[in-house]
Amino acid sequence: WIYFKQARYGPALEYLKRSEAISPLSAVTLYHLGECLRSNGDEMAAQRYLEKALKFAGDSRMKELIRYRIKSGLQLKKK
């Protein structure tokens, strides 16, 4: 995630994909993948990952955050 914070999306995606392979049902990993893909310009894939993260998010705060990010991405498409 530190690579994402440094705007180094290529390495961030590589490590997040590895994390997904280890824990494919991790809402946090799926959320981070979605955010990284969005920042890298792949809005469609980002939305898919965020929607998948929402399915596995048990914490209501996490669900609220993911819903907000999904909604904000949809608003970006309308502009």
Side-chain angles (χ1 to χ4, degrees), residues 45-56 66 70 74:
Q47 287 296 113
R48 285 193 303 273
Y49 272 100
L50 291 173
E51 289 169 7
K52 189 174 177 182
L54 187 59
K55 291 179 187 177
F56 299 113
I66 295 168
I70 289 170
L74 294 174

Side-chain angles (χ1 to χ4, degrees), residues 1-76:
W1 188 239
I2 190 71
Y3 285 128
F4 174 82
K5 293 292 191 179
Q6 295 172 343
R8 296 175 60 197
Y9 304 123
L13 282 171
E14 178 183 335
Y15 283 101
L16 287 167
K17 288 284 192 176
R18 287 184 193 178
S19 180
E20 179 191 22
I22 294 167
S23 299
L25 307 180
S26 167
V28 173
T29 297
L30 297 168
Y31 167 76
H32 285 165
L33 267 164
E35 289 299 303
C36 191
L37 287 162
R38 178 177 283 165
S39 295
N40 204 36
D42 192 345
E43 185 64 36
M44 297 293 287
Q47 287 296 113
R48 285 193 303 273
Y49 272 100
L50 291 173
E51 289 169 7
K52 189 174 177 182
L54 187 59
K55 291 179 187 177
F56 299 113
D59 179 274
S60 62
R61 292 179 74 191
M62 183 70 171
K63 283 184 177 182
E64 190 176 311
L65 172 64
I66 295 168
R67 283 188 187 112
Y68 172 78
R69 297 303 292 155
I70 289 170
K71 185 178 178 182
S72 67
L74 294 174
Q75 289 173 349
L76 290 173

